[in-house]
Amino acid sequence: MAETLFYVLGALCVVFAIGVVRARMPLFSVLNLLGTFFCLAGIYLLAGFPFLAATQLLVYAGAIMVLFLFVIMLLNLGDAAELEKHAGLSLSGRRLFVACSSAALLGLVGLGAAEMSTAFDARTLPAEHALDDLEHLAALLFSRYMLPFEAASLLLLATMVAVIVLAKRQREQARDTSAASAPAESQRKENGVLR
Amino acid sequence: MSVPTDHLLALAAALFALGVLGFLVRKNVIIVLCSIELMLNAANLSFLAASRHWSQSTLAGQGDPSAGPIFAIFVILVAAAEAAVGLALVIALYRLKQSVALDGIAELRG
């Protein structure tokens, strides 16, 4: 049962990955990537990594993919002509399709969770059967992997600063071009240096 | 689940290959970033497959099975940082060129 589920999820994973590479519009690429992450979360569950599966769904599918979608919506990258081509299906039909496929995907991951909980029944087996036992991982993170852990915090700080700098400079430029007065001259010079 | 480690690694290899393909072939920056995420996930899957492999009873004590999930956590963290910076660059690029196609970008004269 778990084996067939793994092969089904693996095949779906590859199909979604092909969708990521083949998609015409970035939006469809991101949605396919979301499908890949869901399938991978199911596979992590089956392989005995419930914490990693939860992290995959919360951080990857929940946070990173939403960031991607934000940017696509912000930049309005949708191609109107391309969207027309996909308009063959009526709106309700599309809704039905999306609802069915997401329900099927969730069902598959849920099956994985059920499979895992029966395989690692807490009453019959000790907790070490989850390979990513949280207590053990946390103890390791603060002992043997202390240095990478601290480096990761530095990386996050640097990322935060970098993203703020990248976004802020653009906002100043936009304000100056809209003002289009004497300060714009000096700003342009500055931009020339920056480039 | 009694799937052999080889099959998990084969899936990871397939995902990584598709990620490389997308990274090299596609011209839309967002799809290129998606392909990078795909490759990072393939790496994660192979870390976890290795961890699962070393935790099997016949191999107990030969490798460290807890290194896999730890590395997977760090990979997810790096992926989050990479996505944030990458998307900020995409926004900056879009403001500069009004497009996200990689063809027309030669500002750095690489």
Side-chain angles (χ1 to χ4, degrees), chain A residues 3 6-7 10 17 21-23 37 40 43-44 46-47 49 56 60 64 75 131 140 144 148 159 170, chain B residues 1-3 7-8 11 18 26 28 37 41 44 48 52 55 64 66 72 74 79-81 85 94-95:
Chain A
E3 287 75 26
F6 165 76
Y7 289 113
V21 178
R22 281 204 49 190
F37 290 165
L40 275 176
I43 288 173
Y44 292 171
L46 286 174
F49 300 94
Q56 175 87 2
Y60 251 125
I64 299 183
L75 301 185
L131 294 175
L140 272 179
R144 195 193 300 171
T159 307
Q170 299 303 325
Chain B
M1 186 179 78
S2 58
V3 173
H7 293 190
L8 280 167
L11 177 62
L18 282 167
R26 296 309 302 256
N28 191 308
E37 298 293 332
N41 267 279
N44 253 351
L48 294 184
R52 184 170 156 275
S55 72
D64 180 10
S66 55
F74 280 118
V85 174
Y94 186 79
R95 297 235 171 102

mmCIF file of all heavy atoms in Angstrom, chain A residues 3 6-7 10 17 21-23 37 40 43-44 46-47 49 56 60 64 75 131 140 144 148 159 170, chain B residues 1-3 7-8 11 18 26 28 37 41 44 48 52 55 64 66 72 74 79-81 85 94-95:
data_model
loop_
_atom_site.group_PDB
_atom_site.id
_atom_site.type_symbol
_atom_site.label_atom_id
_atom_site.label_comp_id
_atom_site.label_asym_id
_atom_site.label_seq_id
_atom_site.Cartn_x
_atom_site.Cartn_y
_atom_site.Cartn_z
ATOM 1 N N GLU A 3 3.917 1.377 -0.708
ATOM 2 C CA GLU A 3 4.795 1.360 -1.884
ATOM 3 C C GLU A 3 4.071 1.936 -3.096
ATOM 4 O O GLU A 3 4.604 2.790 -3.800
ATOM 5 C CB GLU A 3 5.264 -0.066 -2.186
ATOM 6 C CG GLU A 3 6.290 -0.609 -1.208
ATOM 7 C CD GLU A 3 5.679 -1.006 0.121
ATOM 8 O OE1 GLU A 3 4.476 -1.335 0.147
ATOM 9 O OE2 GLU A 3 6.396 -0.964 1.142
ATOM 10 N N PHE A 6 3.769 5.532 -2.816
ATOM 11 C CA PHE A 6 5.028 6.212 -3.137
ATOM 12 C C PHE A 6 5.196 6.348 -4.644
ATOM 13 O O PHE A 6 5.549 7.419 -5.145
ATOM 14 C CB PHE A 6 6.220 5.444 -2.555
ATOM 15 C CG PHE A 6 7.534 5.890 -3.139
ATOM 16 C CD1 PHE A 6 8.101 7.084 -2.728
ATOM 17 C CD2 PHE A 6 8.171 5.147 -4.116
ATOM 18 C CE1 PHE A 6 9.290 7.527 -3.278
ATOM 19 C CE2 PHE A 6 9.361 5.585 -4.673
ATOM 20 C CZ PHE A 6 9.922 6.774 -4.252
ATOM 21 N N TYR A 7 4.909 5.244 -5.376
ATOM 22 C CA TYR A 7 5.133 5.322 -6.821
ATOM 23 C C TYR A 7 4.147 6.286 -7.480
ATOM 24 O O TYR A 7 4.506 7.007 -8.411
ATOM 25 C CB TYR A 7 5.080 3.928 -7.444
ATOM 26 C CG TYR A 7 6.296 3.110 -7.060
ATOM 27 C CD1 TYR A 7 6.184 1.994 -6.258
ATOM 28 C CD2 TYR A 7 7.559 3.514 -7.474
ATOM 29 C CE1 TYR A 7 7.303 1.277 -5.875
ATOM 30 C CE2 TYR A 7 8.686 2.806 -7.102
ATOM 31 C CZ TYR A 7 8.551 1.682 -6.305
ATOM 32 O OH TYR A 7 9.661 0.993 -5.925
ATOM 33 N N GLY A 10 5.384 9.707 -6.640
ATOM 34 C CA GLY A 10 6.605 9.983 -7.388
ATOM 35 C C GLY A 10 6.300 10.315 -8.836
ATOM 36 O O GLY A 10 6.845 11.275 -9.402
ATOM 37 N N ALA A 17 6.709 18.346 -12.222
ATOM 38 C CA ALA A 17 8.004 18.971 -12.507
ATOM 39 C C ALA A 17 8.121 19.277 -13.999
ATOM 40 O O ALA A 17 8.643 20.324 -14.386
ATOM 41 C CB ALA A 17 9.134 18.065 -12.049
ATOM 42 N N VAL A 21 8.615 23.058 -15.975
ATOM 43 C CA VAL A 21 9.555 23.423 -17.040
ATOM 44 C C VAL A 21 8.819 23.830 -18.308
ATOM 45 O O VAL A 21 9.263 24.715 -19.032
ATOM 46 C CB VAL A 21 10.502 22.233 -17.298
ATOM 47 C CG1 VAL A 21 11.448 22.547 -18.434
ATOM 48 C CG2 VAL A 21 11.290 21.923 -16.045
ATOM 49 N N ARG A 22 7.660 23.195 -18.555
ATOM 50 C CA ARG A 22 6.988 23.409 -19.826
ATOM 51 C C ARG A 22 6.011 24.576 -19.842
ATOM 52 O O ARG A 22 5.620 25.037 -20.913
ATOM 53 C CB ARG A 22 6.206 22.136 -20.208
ATOM 54 C CG ARG A 22 7.075 21.046 -20.785
ATOM 55 C CD ARG A 22 6.243 20.138 -21.633
ATOM 56 N NE ARG A 22 5.410 20.896 -22.569
ATOM 57 C CZ ARG A 22 4.442 20.384 -23.301
ATOM 58 N NH1 ARG A 22 4.174 19.118 -23.200
ATOM 59 N NH2 ARG A 22 3.743 21.124 -24.133
ATOM 60 N N ALA A 23 5.590 25.025 -18.650
ATOM 61 C CA ALA A 23 4.503 26.002 -18.586
ATOM 62 C C ALA A 23 4.828 27.247 -19.399
ATOM 63 O O ALA A 23 5.954 27.738 -19.383
ATOM 64 C CB ALA A 23 4.250 26.384 -17.130
ATOM 65 N N PHE A 37 5.592 20.179 -4.662
ATOM 66 C CA PHE A 37 5.907 20.238 -3.237
ATOM 67 C C PHE A 37 4.928 19.405 -2.422
ATOM 68 O O PHE A 37 5.326 18.743 -1.465
ATOM 69 C CB PHE A 37 5.878 21.690 -2.753
ATOM 70 C CG PHE A 37 7.013 22.510 -3.274
ATOM 71 C CD1 PHE A 37 6.997 23.881 -3.204
ATOM 72 C CD2 PHE A 37 8.111 21.893 -3.850
ATOM 73 C CE1 PHE A 37 8.055 24.632 -3.684
ATOM 74 C CE2 PHE A 37 9.171 22.632 -4.338
ATOM 75 C CZ PHE A 37 9.129 24.004 -4.250
ATOM 76 N N LEU A 40 5.956 15.845 -2.834
ATOM 77 C CA LEU A 40 7.181 15.588 -2.076
ATOM 78 C C LEU A 40 6.874 15.479 -0.589
ATOM 79 O O LEU A 40 7.446 14.641 0.109
ATOM 80 C CB LEU A 40 8.194 16.703 -2.324
ATOM 81 C CG LEU A 40 9.056 16.527 -3.570
ATOM 82 C CD1 LEU A 40 9.951 17.731 -3.763
ATOM 83 C CD2 LEU A 40 9.905 15.275 -3.464
ATOM 84 N N ILE A 43 5.686 12.123 0.041
ATOM 85 C CA ILE A 43 6.785 11.157 0.004
ATOM 86 C C ILE A 43 7.598 11.218 1.300
ATOM 87 O O ILE A 43 7.988 10.184 1.853
ATOM 88 C CB ILE A 43 7.669 11.422 -1.231
ATOM 89 C CG1 ILE A 43 6.918 11.000 -2.483
ATOM 90 C CG2 ILE A 43 8.982 10.666 -1.143
ATOM 91 C CD1 ILE A 43 7.597 11.351 -3.760
ATOM 92 N N TYR A 44 7.829 12.451 1.812
ATOM 93 C CA TYR A 44 8.563 12.582 3.076
ATOM 94 C C TYR A 44 7.812 11.869 4.197
ATOM 95 O O TYR A 44 8.412 11.191 5.030
ATOM 96 C CB TYR A 44 8.740 14.050 3.458
ATOM 97 C CG TYR A 44 9.651 14.846 2.560
ATOM 98 C CD1 TYR A 44 9.761 16.216 2.676
ATOM 99 C CD2 TYR A 44 10.409 14.217 1.582
ATOM 100 C CE1 TYR A 44 10.596 16.947 1.850
ATOM 101 C CE2 TYR A 44 11.245 14.941 0.752
ATOM 102 C CZ TYR A 44 11.322 16.302 0.892
ATOM 103 O OH TYR A 44 12.136 17.026 0.072
ATOM 104 N N LEU A 46 5.771 9.334 3.884
ATOM 105 C CA LEU A 46 5.879 7.884 3.704
ATOM 106 C C LEU A 46 7.257 7.383 4.112
ATOM 107 O O LEU A 46 7.404 6.287 4.635
ATOM 108 C CB LEU A 46 5.626 7.528 2.235
ATOM 109 C CG LEU A 46 4.188 7.606 1.779
ATOM 110 C CD1 LEU A 46 4.103 7.368 0.294
ATOM 111 C CD2 LEU A 46 3.363 6.581 2.512
ATOM 112 N N ALA A 47 8.292 8.210 3.847
ATOM 113 C CA ALA A 47 9.648 7.774 4.156
ATOM 114 C C ALA A 47 9.959 7.897 5.645
ATOM 115 O O ALA A 47 11.036 7.505 6.075
ATOM 116 C CB ALA A 47 10.649 8.582 3.335
ATOM 117 N N PHE A 49 9.486 10.963 7.649
ATOM 118 C CA PHE A 49 9.949 12.286 8.087
ATOM 119 C C PHE A 49 8.763 13.231 8.259
ATOM 120 O O PHE A 49 8.587 14.153 7.455
ATOM 121 C CB PHE A 49 10.931 12.883 7.076
ATOM 122 C CG PHE A 49 12.160 12.066 6.859
ATOM 123 C CD1 PHE A 49 12.227 11.159 5.823
ATOM 124 C CD2 PHE A 49 13.251 12.210 7.697
ATOM 125 C CE1 PHE A 49 13.364 10.403 5.625
ATOM 126 C CE2 PHE A 49 14.387 11.465 7.496
ATOM 127 C CZ PHE A 49 14.444 10.552 6.458
ATOM 128 N N GLN A 56 7.934 21.265 4.839
ATOM 129 C CA GLN A 56 7.805 21.411 3.385
ATOM 130 C C GLN A 56 6.507 22.145 3.046
ATOM 131 O O GLN A 56 6.494 23.063 2.232
ATOM 132 C CB GLN A 56 7.816 20.012 2.744
ATOM 133 C CG GLN A 56 7.563 19.985 1.271
ATOM 134 C CD GLN A 56 8.833 20.176 0.490
ATOM 135 O OE1 GLN A 56 9.890 20.295 1.052
ATOM 136 N NE2 GLN A 56 8.712 20.213 -0.823
ATOM 137 N N TYR A 60 7.712 25.852 2.413
ATOM 138 C CA TYR A 60 7.813 25.882 0.955
ATOM 139 C C TYR A 60 6.480 26.255 0.316
ATOM 140 O O TYR A 60 6.348 27.297 -0.326
ATOM 141 C CB TYR A 60 8.266 24.520 0.428
ATOM 142 C CG TYR A 60 9.663 24.534 -0.100
ATOM 143 C CD1 TYR A 60 10.631 23.666 0.372
ATOM 144 C CD2 TYR A 60 10.023 25.420 -1.099
ATOM 145 C CE1 TYR A 60 11.912 23.692 -0.107
ATOM 146 C CE2 TYR A 60 11.301 25.451 -1.583
ATOM 147 C CZ TYR A 60 12.243 24.579 -1.087
ATOM 148 O OH TYR A 60 13.506 24.610 -1.563
ATOM 149 N N ILE A 64 7.152 30.324 0.632
ATOM 150 C CA ILE A 64 7.983 30.652 -0.536
ATOM 151 C C ILE A 64 7.127 30.779 -1.791
ATOM 152 O O ILE A 64 7.266 31.718 -2.582
ATOM 153 C CB ILE A 64 9.092 29.593 -0.702
ATOM 154 C CG1 ILE A 64 9.982 29.582 0.528
ATOM 155 C CG2 ILE A 64 9.911 29.882 -1.938
ATOM 156 C CD1 ILE A 64 11.144 28.645 0.456
ATOM 157 N N LEU A 75 3.744 42.174 -10.563
ATOM 158 C CA LEU A 75 4.291 42.610 -11.851
ATOM 159 C C LEU A 75 3.296 42.412 -12.973
ATOM 160 O O LEU A 75 3.559 42.792 -14.100
ATOM 161 C CB LEU A 75 5.575 41.845 -12.163
ATOM 162 C CG LEU A 75 6.702 41.993 -11.153
ATOM 163 C CD1 LEU A 75 7.944 41.285 -11.650
ATOM 164 C CD2 LEU A 75 7.010 43.450 -10.909
ATOM 165 N N LEU A 131 12.002 9.356 11.725
ATOM 166 C CA LEU A 131 13.448 9.541 11.572
ATOM 167 C C LEU A 131 13.865 10.952 11.933
ATOM 168 O O LEU A 131 15.031 11.199 12.191
ATOM 169 C CB LEU A 131 13.867 9.227 10.137
ATOM 170 C CG LEU A 131 13.695 7.755 9.752
ATOM 171 C CD1 LEU A 131 14.001 7.561 8.302
ATOM 172 C CD2 LEU A 131 14.600 6.895 10.604
ATOM 173 N N LEU A 140 20.557 18.353 18.498
ATOM 174 C CA LEU A 140 21.692 18.366 17.551
ATOM 175 C C LEU A 140 21.969 19.771 17.038
ATOM 176 O O LEU A 140 23.126 20.186 16.922
ATOM 177 C CB LEU A 140 21.381 17.449 16.371
ATOM 178 C CG LEU A 140 21.768 15.990 16.516
ATOM 179 C CD1 LEU A 140 21.372 15.234 15.263
ATOM 180 C CD2 LEU A 140 23.256 15.856 16.761
ATOM 181 N N ARG A 144 25.983 19.928 17.960
ATOM 182 C CA ARG A 144 26.955 19.628 16.911
ATOM 183 C C ARG A 144 26.845 20.606 15.739
ATOM 184 O O ARG A 144 27.833 20.937 15.104
ATOM 185 C CB ARG A 144 26.751 18.195 16.403
ATOM 186 C CG ARG A 144 27.944 17.735 15.593
ATOM 187 C CD ARG A 144 27.661 16.466 14.818
ATOM 188 N NE ARG A 144 27.295 15.358 15.695
ATOM 189 C CZ ARG A 144 26.840 14.197 15.233
ATOM 190 N NH1 ARG A 144 26.709 13.994 13.946
ATOM 191 N NH2 ARG A 144 26.504 13.238 16.056
ATOM 192 N N PRO A 148 26.765 26.006 11.879
ATOM 193 C CA PRO A 148 25.858 26.242 10.743
ATOM 194 C C PRO A 148 24.580 26.966 11.150
ATOM 195 O O PRO A 148 24.071 27.804 10.406
ATOM 196 C CB PRO A 148 25.528 24.841 10.223
ATOM 197 C CG PRO A 148 26.467 23.930 10.837
ATOM 198 C CD PRO A 148 27.134 24.603 11.977
ATOM 199 N N THR A 159 20.117 38.495 4.082
ATOM 200 C CA THR A 159 19.044 38.453 3.092
ATOM 201 C C THR A 159 18.049 39.573 3.313
ATOM 202 O O THR A 159 17.641 40.272 2.377
ATOM 203 C CB THR A 159 18.306 37.110 3.185
ATOM 204 O OG1 THR A 159 19.255 36.067 3.103
ATOM 205 C CG2 THR A 159 17.279 36.981 2.104
ATOM 206 N N GLN A 170 14.773 51.359 -5.414
ATOM 207 C CA GLN A 170 13.809 51.512 -6.499
ATOM 208 C C GLN A 170 12.745 52.532 -6.140
ATOM 209 O O GLN A 170 12.334 53.331 -6.967
ATOM 210 C CB GLN A 170 13.155 50.164 -6.805
ATOM 211 C CG GLN A 170 14.127 49.108 -7.255
ATOM 212 C CD GLN A 170 14.901 49.547 -8.475
ATOM 213 O OE1 GLN A 170 14.366 50.240 -9.328
ATOM 214 N NE2 GLN A 170 16.158 49.165 -8.558
ATOM 215 N N MET B 1 7.341 1.734 4.806
ATOM 216 C CA MET B 1 7.501 1.735 3.341
ATOM 217 C C MET B 1 8.798 1.022 2.988
ATOM 218 O O MET B 1 9.860 1.373 3.486
ATOM 219 C CB MET B 1 7.532 3.184 2.848
ATOM 220 C CG MET B 1 7.555 3.276 1.356
ATOM 221 S SD MET B 1 7.552 4.970 0.756
ATOM 222 C CE MET B 1 9.246 5.440 1.018
ATOM 223 N N SER B 2 8.711 0.008 2.132
ATOM 224 C CA SER B 2 9.915 -0.768 1.812
ATOM 225 C C SER B 2 10.416 -0.466 0.405
ATOM 226 O O SER B 2 10.876 -1.354 -0.296
ATOM 227 C CB SER B 2 9.624 -2.251 1.968
ATOM 228 O OG SER B 2 8.551 -2.603 1.117
ATOM 229 N N VAL B 3 10.290 0.780 0.001
ATOM 230 C CA VAL B 3 10.827 1.166 -1.301
ATOM 231 C C VAL B 3 12.348 1.245 -1.193
ATOM 232 O O VAL B 3 12.866 1.818 -0.244
ATOM 233 C CB VAL B 3 10.255 2.537 -1.722
ATOM 234 C CG1 VAL B 3 10.908 3.039 -2.981
ATOM 235 C CG2 VAL B 3 8.756 2.436 -1.911
ATOM 236 N N HIS B 7 15.269 3.878 -5.633
ATOM 237 C CA HIS B 7 14.118 4.489 -6.302
ATOM 238 C C HIS B 7 13.916 5.925 -5.841
ATOM 239 O O HIS B 7 13.577 6.799 -6.632
ATOM 240 C CB HIS B 7 12.868 3.649 -6.056
ATOM 241 C CG HIS B 7 12.940 2.313 -6.723
ATOM 242 N ND1 HIS B 7 11.871 1.454 -6.823
ATOM 243 C CD2 HIS B 7 13.969 1.681 -7.342
ATOM 244 C CE1 HIS B 7 12.243 0.364 -7.465
ATOM 245 N NE2 HIS B 7 13.518 0.477 -7.778
ATOM 246 N N LEU B 8 14.147 6.149 -4.534
ATOM 247 C CA LEU B 8 14.071 7.531 -4.032
ATOM 248 C C LEU B 8 15.116 8.394 -4.719
ATOM 249 O O LEU B 8 14.851 9.521 -5.131
ATOM 250 C CB LEU B 8 14.303 7.546 -2.516
ATOM 251 C CG LEU B 8 13.121 7.167 -1.626
ATOM 252 C CD1 LEU B 8 13.587 6.925 -0.206
ATOM 253 C CD2 LEU B 8 12.088 8.260 -1.638
ATOM 254 N N LEU B 11 14.153 9.189 -8.272
ATOM 255 C CA LEU B 11 13.176 10.290 -8.318
ATOM 256 C C LEU B 11 13.872 11.632 -8.125
ATOM 257 O O LEU B 11 13.613 12.599 -8.855
ATOM 258 C CB LEU B 11 12.114 10.070 -7.243
ATOM 259 C CG LEU B 11 11.063 11.173 -7.116
ATOM 260 C CD1 LEU B 11 10.279 11.297 -8.409
ATOM 261 C CD2 LEU B 11 10.125 10.907 -5.958
ATOM 262 N N LEU B 18 15.206 17.698 -14.412
ATOM 263 C CA LEU B 18 14.183 18.612 -14.940
ATOM 264 C C LEU B 18 14.476 20.044 -14.512
ATOM 265 O O LEU B 18 14.277 20.985 -15.292
ATOM 266 C CB LEU B 18 12.800 18.184 -14.441
ATOM 267 C CG LEU B 18 12.217 16.983 -15.192
ATOM 268 C CD1 LEU B 18 11.027 16.413 -14.450
ATOM 269 C CD2 LEU B 18 11.814 17.407 -16.585
ATOM 270 N N ARG B 26 14.712 27.793 -20.182
ATOM 271 C CA ARG B 26 13.678 28.825 -20.100
ATOM 272 C C ARG B 26 14.274 30.228 -20.048
ATOM 273 O O ARG B 26 15.405 30.415 -19.592
ATOM 274 C CB ARG B 26 12.791 28.590 -18.876
ATOM 275 C CG ARG B 26 12.013 27.312 -18.934
ATOM 276 C CD ARG B 26 11.251 27.148 -20.238
ATOM 277 N NE ARG B 26 10.333 28.231 -20.494
ATOM 278 C CZ ARG B 26 9.024 28.156 -20.335
ATOM 279 N NH1 ARG B 26 8.481 27.040 -19.935
ATOM 280 N NH2 ARG B 26 8.263 29.185 -20.607
ATOM 281 N N ASN B 28 12.170 33.000 -19.009
ATOM 282 C CA ASN B 28 11.458 33.800 -18.009
ATOM 283 C C ASN B 28 12.146 33.653 -16.651
ATOM 284 O O ASN B 28 12.353 32.542 -16.173
ATOM 285 C CB ASN B 28 10.006 33.298 -17.933
ATOM 286 C CG ASN B 28 9.140 34.221 -17.139
ATOM 287 O OD1 ASN B 28 9.474 34.571 -16.011
ATOM 288 N ND2 ASN B 28 8.040 34.629 -17.724
ATOM 289 N N GLU B 37 14.346 26.080 -7.435
ATOM 290 C CA GLU B 37 13.648 25.485 -6.288
ATOM 291 C C GLU B 37 13.492 23.977 -6.483
ATOM 292 O O GLU B 37 13.629 23.192 -5.544
ATOM 293 C CB GLU B 37 12.265 26.112 -6.111
ATOM 294 C CG GLU B 37 12.277 27.593 -5.824
ATOM 295 C CD GLU B 37 12.871 27.912 -4.469
ATOM 296 O OE1 GLU B 37 12.780 27.064 -3.587
ATOM 297 O OE2 GLU B 37 13.429 29.005 -4.321
ATOM 298 N N ASN B 41 14.889 21.029 -4.066
ATOM 299 C CA ASN B 41 14.038 19.979 -3.510
ATOM 300 C C ASN B 41 14.562 18.596 -3.831
ATOM 301 O O ASN B 41 14.446 17.680 -3.022
ATOM 302 C CB ASN B 41 12.616 20.140 -4.025
ATOM 303 C CG ASN B 41 11.791 20.956 -3.081
ATOM 304 O OD1 ASN B 41 11.306 20.443 -2.104
ATOM 305 N ND2 ASN B 41 11.682 22.235 -3.358
ATOM 306 N N ASN B 44 17.171 17.907 -1.381
ATOM 307 C CA ASN B 44 16.537 17.561 -0.113
ATOM 308 C C ASN B 44 16.101 16.111 -0.094
ATOM 309 O O ASN B 44 16.323 15.395 0.873
ATOM 310 C CB ASN B 44 15.303 18.438 0.077
ATOM 311 C CG ASN B 44 15.524 19.478 1.129
ATOM 312 O OD1 ASN B 44 16.528 19.433 1.819
ATOM 313 N ND2 ASN B 44 14.605 20.393 1.244
ATOM 314 N N LEU B 48 17.288 13.073 2.426
ATOM 315 C CA LEU B 48 16.393 12.270 3.266
ATOM 316 C C LEU B 48 16.485 10.790 2.895
ATOM 317 O O LEU B 48 16.404 9.925 3.770
ATOM 318 C CB LEU B 48 14.959 12.782 3.132
ATOM 319 C CG LEU B 48 14.751 14.190 3.691
ATOM 320 C CD1 LEU B 48 13.294 14.587 3.622
ATOM 321 C CD2 LEU B 48 15.253 14.279 5.112
ATOM 322 N N ARG B 52 17.419 7.887 5.468
ATOM 323 C CA ARG B 52 16.591 6.695 5.645
ATOM 324 C C ARG B 52 17.423 5.434 5.419
ATOM 325 O O ARG B 52 17.303 4.447 6.131
ATOM 326 C CB ARG B 52 15.428 6.763 4.657
ATOM 327 C CG ARG B 52 14.423 5.650 4.769
ATOM 328 C CD ARG B 52 13.220 5.966 3.915
ATOM 329 N NE ARG B 52 12.519 4.762 3.554
ATOM 330 C CZ ARG B 52 12.844 4.016 2.511
ATOM 331 N NH1 ARG B 52 13.832 4.365 1.729
ATOM 332 N NH2 ARG B 52 12.172 2.919 2.235
ATOM 333 N N SER B 55 19.582 4.648 8.374
ATOM 334 C CA SER B 55 18.868 4.271 9.591
ATOM 335 C C SER B 55 18.356 2.839 9.541
ATOM 336 O O SER B 55 17.846 2.349 10.530
ATOM 337 C CB SER B 55 17.691 5.219 9.810
ATOM 338 O OG SER B 55 16.688 4.940 8.867
ATOM 339 N N ASP B 64 25.416 8.509 9.922
ATOM 340 C CA ASP B 64 24.641 9.298 10.875
ATOM 341 C C ASP B 64 23.297 9.645 10.255
ATOM 342 O O ASP B 64 23.219 10.538 9.424
ATOM 343 C CB ASP B 64 25.408 10.572 11.229
ATOM 344 C CG ASP B 64 24.641 11.415 12.229
ATOM 345 O OD1 ASP B 64 23.637 10.912 12.770
ATOM 346 O OD2 ASP B 64 25.042 12.561 12.452
ATOM 347 N N SER B 66 20.761 11.194 11.376
ATOM 348 C CA SER B 66 20.122 12.468 11.729
ATOM 349 C C SER B 66 20.721 13.631 10.945
ATOM 350 O O SER B 66 20.182 14.730 10.972
ATOM 351 C CB SER B 66 20.242 12.724 13.225
ATOM 352 O OG SER B 66 21.591 12.657 13.605
ATOM 353 N N ALA B 72 18.458 18.936 5.424
ATOM 354 C CA ALA B 72 17.242 19.319 4.694
ATOM 355 C C ALA B 72 16.680 20.624 5.251
ATOM 356 O O ALA B 72 16.249 21.493 4.491
ATOM 357 C CB ALA B 72 16.213 18.196 4.790
ATOM 358 N N PHE B 74 18.409 23.011 6.658
ATOM 359 C CA PHE B 74 19.261 24.111 6.202
ATOM 360 C C PHE B 74 19.008 24.422 4.727
ATOM 361 O O PHE B 74 19.039 25.589 4.316
ATOM 362 C CB PHE B 74 20.732 23.783 6.443
ATOM 363 C CG PHE B 74 21.158 24.005 7.866
ATOM 364 C CD1 PHE B 74 21.614 22.970 8.650
ATOM 365 C CD2 PHE B 74 21.074 25.267 8.423
ATOM 366 C CE1 PHE B 74 21.985 23.171 9.954
ATOM 367 C CE2 PHE B 74 21.437 25.484 9.736
ATOM 368 C CZ PHE B 74 21.900 24.431 10.499
ATOM 369 N N ALA B 79 16.899 28.011 0.659
ATOM 370 C CA ALA B 79 15.954 28.209 -0.446
ATOM 371 C C ALA B 79 15.080 29.421 -0.182
ATOM 372 O O ALA B 79 14.796 30.207 -1.093
ATOM 373 C CB ALA B 79 15.101 26.964 -0.624
ATOM 374 N N ALA B 80 14.666 29.597 1.080
ATOM 375 C CA ALA B 80 13.829 30.756 1.408
ATOM 376 C C ALA B 80 14.605 32.049 1.180
ATOM 377 O O ALA B 80 14.098 32.996 0.561
ATOM 378 C CB ALA B 80 13.363 30.668 2.857
ATOM 379 N N ALA B 81 15.875 32.077 1.633
ATOM 380 C CA ALA B 81 16.698 33.273 1.441
ATOM 381 C C ALA B 81 16.903 33.547 -0.043
ATOM 382 O O ALA B 81 16.781 34.688 -0.517
ATOM 383 C CB ALA B 81 18.039 33.089 2.143
ATOM 384 N N VAL B 85 15.752 36.977 -2.162
ATOM 385 C CA VAL B 85 16.675 37.845 -2.907
ATOM 386 C C VAL B 85 16.383 37.770 -4.402
ATOM 387 O O VAL B 85 16.345 38.800 -5.093
ATOM 388 C CB VAL B 85 18.130 37.447 -2.601
ATOM 389 C CG1 VAL B 85 19.076 38.242 -3.479
ATOM 390 C CG2 VAL B 85 18.451 37.717 -1.151
ATOM 391 N N TYR B 94 12.441 44.211 -13.358
ATOM 392 C CA TYR B 94 11.219 44.586 -14.067
ATOM 393 C C TYR B 94 11.062 46.106 -14.103
ATOM 394 O O TYR B 94 10.642 46.670 -15.111
ATOM 395 C CB TYR B 94 10.011 43.933 -13.386
ATOM 396 C CG TYR B 94 8.734 44.141 -14.140
ATOM 397 C CD1 TYR B 94 8.448 43.358 -15.248
ATOM 398 C CD2 TYR B 94 7.827 45.117 -13.765
ATOM 399 C CE1 TYR B 94 7.288 43.546 -15.968
ATOM 400 C CE2 TYR B 94 6.660 45.313 -14.477
ATOM 401 C CZ TYR B 94 6.391 44.519 -15.571
ATOM 402 O OH TYR B 94 5.247 44.708 -16.281
ATOM 403 N N ARG B 95 11.422 46.778 -13.000
ATOM 404 C CA ARG B 95 11.319 48.241 -12.980
ATOM 405 C C ARG B 95 12.279 48.858 -13.980
ATOM 406 O O ARG B 95 12.017 49.904 -14.559
ATOM 407 C CB ARG B 95 11.654 48.754 -11.577
ATOM 408 C CG ARG B 95 10.675 48.247 -10.538
ATOM 409 C CD ARG B 95 10.046 49.401 -9.769
ATOM 410 N NE ARG B 95 8.965 48.913 -8.933
ATOM 411 C CZ ARG B 95 9.082 48.712 -7.632
ATOM 412 N NH1 ARG B 95 10.224 48.959 -7.034
ATOM 413 N NH2 ARG B 95 8.056 48.295 -6.940
#
